[in-house]
Amino acid sequence: MVPLVVVIALAYAEDAVPVAVAPLSGTVVDAEGLSIPGATVRVGALETTTDAEGAFRLDVPVGTVDVTVTRAGFGPAQSTVEMPPEGATLAVTLTLESSDAGDELTVQSTRTPGGTIELLRERKEAPAVVDVVGSEQMSRAGDTDAASALKRVNGLTVIGGRFVYVRGLGDRYSQTLLNGSSLPSPEPERRVVPLDLFPTSLIESVVVQKTFSPDVPAEFGGGVVAINTRSIPEEPVLSLTLSGTWVGGTTLSEAMVGATGPTDWLGFGNEFRALPDDVQAASDEAPLKAGGVFSEDGYTADDLEVFGEALENRWGLVAKDLPPDFGVNLQAGRKWSLGAVDFGALGGVVFSNGWSVDEGFKITYADTGAGLEAKRRADFVEASNKVRLGAMLTLGLQWAEEGHVSSTTMLNRTSSASALRYDTDDPTGSNDGRTTRIQWEEQQLFFQQLSTSVPLGPIRIDARYALSFADQAEPDRREYTYLATDSGYVLSQRGAWNDIYYGALGDSAHDAGLDVSWTIPRDAGDVKLAAGGKAFLRTRSSSVQRFSFEFVGSEGIDLTAPIEDVLVPENIGREGDTDPGYVQLEENTSNNDDYRASQDIFAGYLLGDVPWTKRFRSLVGARVEASDQNVETYQLFTTDAEPIVAELATVDVLPAVTLTYGLGPTTLPDAMLVRLGYGRTLSRPELRELSEVPYYDYRSGRLLYGNPDLARATIDNVDLRWEWYPSAGESLSVAGFFKYFDDPIESIVAVSAVSGSVGTFANANSATNIGGEIDVRKRLDFIHSSLYDLYISGNVSIIDSKVDLEGTEGNQTSTERPLQGQSPWVVNLQLSYENPDLRTNIAALWNVFGPRIVQVGTAGIPDSYEAPVHRVDLVVTQGIGEHFQVRAKGTNLLDWPIRELTGDQISEEVRDGWTAGLGLTWTP
């Protein structure tokens, strides 16, 4: 059989000499508006081929011309076009119909995973309100991880470069899924996964679902962030990318850093900083204290001297010339045919090593009654080294009717070393000093998923199981203080003048899901009825050890010397009866530092997705979730005390409905529709928030108490969105939303007679969140003939929230305020130039957010806000020859200061520097 190839001839006078030309650009799509790559477009003797998004461009004579398209498997298509005068441009959409010839070869239009047009189509066809960012968009924007990519999504902000706030709601209101499976967290006091763990080169798309549907977990208020890894490639894939980055104010500058191990540069430094085996074994037996405080005998002074001298002398900082950042990215994969079955594999490895130096100041204020008065100022400089390692392997079998079995293995690691030094200036002069902190932290997420999809006629069975481990280690964090005197800095002998900290966290999860769907064909569209269930079993354990050296007299010790010259063997332990002074190791591990927790969630759902007409569609269903949370905090070094237990068990029925109505054509392009959705969702306490045992939150610098009386919060969500898809690569949407929170969980500040100001958690009475969003992507064909592939895209979000804290008995200044971390507005703008013929892509990006609360005010002091930060990035990608591509990237080009305001006073300011990077990619 011979494939049918239809060619429509274009004729204009061959002997005519065109005196003027104008660019003709456009997109070739199928009847459903799906892009067709590889189609040949001809105008007379001129010819070009559509790219991966079905786009093309030709410079053709001014006047009336006919267009010809060549593509196997499609019937004739013809268009007569009146070209505008020279200097203008014209864009068209050409639609091809599939051929009906009996013996012809039919070639279906191709979906480009992660491509812009495919993702717009996915957004349009979704039964809920979603926003999607794909691998192509991430690549053009130069985003290196999921967190940096998501800050460009409508209504999303990224806090600390790691945590995503959807529609201004904090991390407790978001849910992260990886290939449909829930994940544990490597964060000690959070349940959310930091999204900078996921390199974009391993991601195909990220879908942010903003309205609730019964087939997704209900524990979210802002949205579900669904990360989808790259799938088996249709064509062989092999690429190697090498990159380097210059960081303004950092690269080739000198910085003070802590001691480094031989494998730190690879991100593995835990073993180098591990507690010596003998010290660990002794600490496991009893706390390293003299006397019988926790045990019958305690340890002798000689024992403590041996333990103290066993700790490595890693207190000092050394000067280092910081190198440029560098990175490596390798990917390979292909598909093989094994009879009626296709087997595929895709693997990737990502590695990067980068430095940063942050300089700034922080001011603490007190309320004098007449206004704010500076109580303490700290000027700081922090040098940080961040190492990222990501690896993924996907294996899959595919057979007819889209059945498949796949395995996805992913390992993501982030390691960071930092050396912080800050000088404090106290107006009274009594607390002037210099504090140094040396820190190493490793976070790791391992994910193994098996999934299958089995079509049985109109019924499809989808099953998945995932095992994941999230680990965090913070070994040998050291902190010490010198006091400022008239004669210079002197090692402090006050209270906790030094601290040695070892922390470890393990969080594991089993996630199993089963979905059964039944598709019923109808003229108006396929009806989908679905039912399914999910089991999520999570366990978490945390262990902490704290040590310090305490002075037993200081006579004879030079306290002005560097600390590494003070904490030497001859000063650790008494050498003899005449020894005037010495230091002694002491363990300060709290009885409440270790805990074990679990959460079991069992869920089931029913839904119906019914197109009643070609224009009207409804998604209706409900989800039932049963949750049991349990936290056990141990009393260390005791054998008869029972653990302190906190537990919360709930069962909830959660309805959802989304109505979709088409206002214009029902297929791309020119599709227009309106969505109206309602859903009830949940917000449960984080595990540690349920335990009344106090613990110190290092990041906030405050003692925290959990609250065993916390209840889960319920959230009623209403969404309305209008969407328009004027062409295959363009979109415009306008949305509004309203959320009502019943018993929202909020951080509050209380006063303890023993500990002073402490943090805790309480259910507020209620909260509301209302806002609007506008999102646009438009091809600017009309600007100039040479800019036919110039795009502008952007979004604006306006959000207003209020929390009612009356009756929570906190010490916060205000009983009504916006949600912590919520920005009242967010703006993203991107201008991109795309030239497939020259293999050139240029993108300029701007992001800014409105002021958001970072610290709740107490005792009359106003809330502290992070001021708006304007961020501008520029990315240029250029193909060179057949096998190479060069990418130049500049980020944070304005180097806008990051400021925190308390009232109208600046309480913190830091700059994180601009960067300029260059990458080279090779493909065979």
Side-chain angles (χ1 to χ4, degrees):
M1 293 180 286
V2 180
L4 173 65
V5 178
V6 179
V7 179
I8 307 170
L10 166 72
Y12 63 85
E14 303 227 357
D15 56 351
V17 179
V19 296
V21 296
L24 171 66
S25 64
T27 308
V28 178
V29 299
D30 65 9
E32 296 183 355
L34 189 62
S35 60
I36 302 176
T40 301
V41 181
R42 292 189 179 91
V43 176
L46 303 172
E47 179 180 305
T48 189
T49 302
T50 57
D51 63 12
E53 291 192 356
F56 70 91
R57 180 195 131 170
L58 271 176
D59 289 328
V60 304
V62 170
T64 303
V65 297
D66 296 326
V67 181
T68 301
V69 179
T70 301
R71 185 64 167 98
F74 293 90
Q78 180 174 332
S79 179
T80 300
V81 175
E82 185 69 30
M83 293 300 299
E86 185 176 11
T89 193
L90 179 68
V92 298
T93 299
L94 304 175
T95 303
L96 294 183
E97 300 286 343
S98 295
S99 175
D100 295 325
D103 292 333
E104 66 190 86
L105 172 66
T106 300
V107 181
Q108 299 294 333
S109 55
T110 304
R111 294 179 182 266
T112 305
T116 302
I117 290 179
E118 172 60 20
L119 295 177
L120 288 178
R121 178 186 177 90
E122 181 179 340
R123 188 178 81 162
K124 171 192 170 288
E125 294 182 347
V129 173
V130 301
D131 286 310
V132 189
V133 58
S135 56
E136 178 186 283
Q137 293 166 281
M138 297 183 222
S139 176
R140 290 178 178 173
D143 297 318
T144 58
D145 56 63
S148 60
L150 283 172
K151 72 185 178 186
R152 313 190 194 284
V153 175
N154 200 5
L156 270 64
T157 50
V158 177
I159 306 297
R162 315 190 71 202
F163 304 105
V164 171
Y165 280 35
V166 182
R167 289 177 165 174
L169 298 174
D171 50 65
R172 73 164 67 248
Y173 294 108
S174 65
Q175 174 92 216
T176 301
L177 303 178
L178 183 59
N179 292 343
S181 295
S182 300
L183 298 171
S185 172
E187 283 292 310
E189 309 304 341
R190 299 175 186 259
R191 70 173 178 84
V192 70
V193 182
L195 294 182
D196 65 337
L197 275 175
F198 300 95
T200 53
S201 60
L202 305 180
I203 297 174
E204 188 168 284
S205 67
V206 183
V207 180
V208 181
Q209 182 170 328
K210 297 179 178 178
T211 57
F212 176 55
S213 61
D215 55 342
V216 299
E219 195 170 354
F220 77 94
V224 170
V225 178
I227 301 173
N228 302 307
T229 59
R230 291 183 181 267
S231 55
I232 303 301
E234 293 294 327
E235 301 293 335
V237 172
L238 178 61
S239 68
L240 173 64
T241 300
L242 304 177
S243 62
T245 302
W246 182 284
V247 182
T250 296
T251 303
L252 300 188
S253 67
E254 185 180 82
M256 303 301 293
V257 302
T260 57
T263 56
D264 281 8
W265 70 277
L266 292 172
F268 296 88
N270 197 14
E271 184 175 349
F272 173 72
R273 296 167 176 82
L275 198 63
D277 292 340
D278 292 346
V279 179
Q280 182 66 67
S283 177
D284 290 341
E285 183 71 22
L288 306 186
K289 288 179 177 288
V293 178
F294 289 93
S295 61
E296 183 177 353
D297 299 318
Y299 289 100
T300 66
D302 289 341
D303 292 332
L304 295 178
E305 179 179 352
V306 171
F307 298 148
E309 293 177 358
L311 294 180
E312 294 288 341
N313 190 335
R314 289 195 287 260
W315 293 92
L317 301 181
V318 296
K320 178 181 177 65
D321 292 327
L322 304 184
D325 299 355
F326 69 93
V328 180
N329 185 340
L330 175 64
Q331 293 192 52
R334 64 166 299 174
K335 181 186 287 188
W336 298 267
S337 293
L338 306 173
V341 177
D342 290 336
F343 169 73
L346 177 68
V349 178
V350 182
F351 175 82
S352 66
N353 186 314
W355 287 88
S356 65
V357 176
D358 296 334
E359 294 186 56
F361 63 85
K362 185 177 181 66
I363 302 174
T364 304
Y365 290 95
D367 181 23
T368 63
L372 296 178
E373 180 179 286
K375 181 180 179 182
R376 182 171 177 259
R377 177 186 172 111
D379 293 279
F380 62 85
V381 58
E382 182 174 22
S384 302
N385 180 213
K386 191 168 189 176
V387 182
R388 293 178 178 174
L389 174 64
M392 185 185 75
L393 176 63
T394 297
L395 304 173
L397 287 173
Q398 299 175 345
W399 61 89
E401 300 182 8
E402 300 183 354
H404 77 266
V405 175
S406 64
S407 166
T408 301
T409 306
M410 176 177 278
L411 174 67
N412 290 329
R413 289 177 52 87
T414 298
S415 305
S416 60
S418 65
L420 170 69
R421 173 173 286 176
Y422 58 91
D423 295 333
T424 58
D425 182 7
D426 184 348
T428 66
S430 60
N431 292 311
D432 291 354
R434 169 174 291 173
T435 298
T436 302
R437 186 179 74 228
I438 306 169
Q439 183 180 16
W440 173 270
E441 183 180 24
E442 296 180 18
Q443 290 189 337
Q444 176 175 292
L445 177 64
F446 173 81
F447 176 81
Q448 173 63 61
Q449 184 189 62
L450 299 175
S451 65
T452 184
S453 181
V454 181
L456 302 173
I459 296 176
R460 174 179 293 275
I461 300 174
D462 294 285
R464 65 185 179 278
Y465 167 75
L467 173 65
S468 46
F469 298 96
D471 300 291
Q472 185 257 7
E474 193 177 350
D476 203 16
R477 185 182 78 212
R478 301 195 179 193
E479 186 168 343
Y480 54 91
T481 300
Y482 279 78
L483 296 178
T485 66
D486 293 338
S487 57
Y489 286 102
V490 177
L491 196 61
S492 172
Q493 299 180 61
R494 299 176 182 173
W497 65 271
N498 74 96
D499 180 65
I500 307 173
Y501 174 95
Y502 291 82
L505 172 75
D507 201 339
S508 63
H510 299 266
D511 185 294
L514 178 67
D515 303 280
V516 180
S517 60
W518 179 25
T519 301
I520 306 172
R522 294 183 61 200
D523 291 340
D526 294 343
V527 174
K528 179 182 177 181
L529 304 178
K534 175 186 175 79
F536 179 64
L537 309 178
R538 174 191 176 198
T539 59
R540 165 177 278 216
S541 62
S542 174
S543 62
V544 168
Q545 290 177 282
R546 307 175 193 270
F547 305 90
S548 64
F549 283 96
E550 301 301 328
F551 280 101
V552 185
S554 60
E555 186 179 351
I557 299 177
D558 183 6
L559 299 181
T560 65
I563 189 172
E564 62 268 26
D565 294 335
V566 173
L567 297 179
V568 291
E570 52 266 34
N571 288 336
I572 298 176
R574 184 185 295 275
E575 296 296 328
D577 293 339
T578 61
D579 198 0
Y582 65 94
V583 294
Q584 180 173 275
L585 182 68
E586 182 174 290
E587 183 168 0
N588 306 310
T589 303
S590 166
N591 272 359
N592 310 317
D593 276 328
D594 289 8
Y595 72 94
R596 182 170 59 204
S598 65
Q599 181 177 24
D600 297 339
I601 298 176
F602 297 93
Y605 74 89
L606 293 170
L607 69 81
D609 184 4
V610 181
W612 299 98
T613 68
K614 287 188 177 295
R615 295 184 179 277
F616 180 61
R617 174 185 185 183
S618 68
L619 173 71
V620 180
R623 183 180 186 89
V624 178
E625 283 199 355
S627 169
D628 186 7
Q629 295 173 270
N630 182 282
V631 183
E632 296 181 355
T633 307
Y634 299 102
Q635 297 291 313
L636 297 180
F637 313 119
T638 59
T639 58
D640 54 353
E642 293 292 328
I644 300 174
V645 179
E647 188 171 13
L648 176 63
T650 58
V651 178
D652 294 279
V653 179
L654 306 159
V657 57
T658 300
L659 307 177
T660 303
Y661 184 78
L663 299 176
T666 56
T667 59
L668 286 172
D670 293 327
M672 187 183 298
L673 48 87
V674 174
R675 303 183 195 270
L676 175 63
Y678 165 79
R680 170 165 287 192
T681 57
L682 302 172
S683 174
R684 299 185 179 98
E686 171 47 39
L687 294 170
R688 192 68 189 259
E689 294 173 357
L690 287 170
S691 175
E692 62 184 334
V693 175
Y695 61 97
Y696 180 76
D697 180 38
Y698 170 71
R699 286 170 173 79
S700 69
R702 180 174 284 147
L703 191 68
L704 298 181
Y705 287 80
N707 181 356
D709 295 325
L710 283 178
R712 60 95 180 91
T714 59
I715 310 163
D716 291 299
N717 309 267
V718 179
D719 281 82
L720 177 65
R721 184 158 85 173
W722 169 78
E723 302 171 14
W724 181 33
Y725 302 89
S727 76
E730 299 178 325
S731 67
L732 172 65
S733 67
V734 180
F737 60 88
F738 174 77
K739 299 175 182 293
Y740 179 80
F741 301 75
D742 188 27
D743 292 332
I745 302 167
E746 282 290 307
S747 301
I748 64 172
V749 180
V751 176
S752 166
V754 177
S755 308
S757 178
V758 298
T760 186
F761 308 91
N763 289 106
N765 297 321
S766 63
T768 58
N769 192 31
I770 186 171
E773 300 168 340
I774 299 175
D775 184 274
V776 63
R777 175 180 166 85
K778 180 73 176 73
R779 177 180 287 174
L780 303 180
D781 305 345
F782 53 85
I783 289 185
H784 193 271
S785 61
S786 63
L787 300 180
Y788 75 99
D789 44 10
L790 187 67
Y791 281 86
I792 186 170
S793 60
N795 52 70
V796 178
S797 302
I798 300 175
I799 303 169
D800 180 67
S801 66
K802 290 183 180 179
V803 179
D804 180 8
L805 295 169
E806 286 285 353
T808 57
E809 299 180 356
N811 191 37
Q812 57 276 353
T813 299
S814 175
T815 58
E816 185 177 278
R817 56 168 173 79
L819 289 164
Q820 188 171 350
Q822 178 253 310
S823 292
W825 49 266
V826 182
V827 179
N828 286 287
L829 186 65
Q830 177 174 335
L831 186 65
S832 59
Y833 173 83
E834 305 166 11
N835 192 321
D837 295 336
L838 299 178
R839 295 169 60 200
T840 302
N841 288 284
I842 303 174
L845 307 104
W846 172 51
N847 168 264
V848 63
F849 57 84
R852 56 198 182 198
I853 294 178
V854 293
Q855 186 73 35
V856 175
T858 62
I861 300 173
D863 299 327
S864 295
Y865 283 80
E866 183 179 358
V869 175
H870 295 262
R871 187 179 179 93
V872 174
D873 302 334
L874 179 65
V875 183
V876 180
T877 304
Q878 178 62 58
I880 299 177
E882 186 179 353
H883 303 293
F884 292 96
Q885 183 185 77
V886 175
R887 169 174 293 161
K889 175 184 175 183
T891 65
N892 195 29
L893 297 178
L894 300 179
D895 194 13
W896 199 273
I898 302 171
R899 290 193 178 106
E900 183 178 313
L901 302 176
T902 301
D904 57 357
Q905 302 294 316
I906 298 177
S907 53
E908 184 172 353
E909 180 174 306
V910 65
R911 294 179 186 266
D912 53 7
W914 55 269
T915 70
L918 194 65
L920 178 65
T921 299
W922 169 83
T923 55

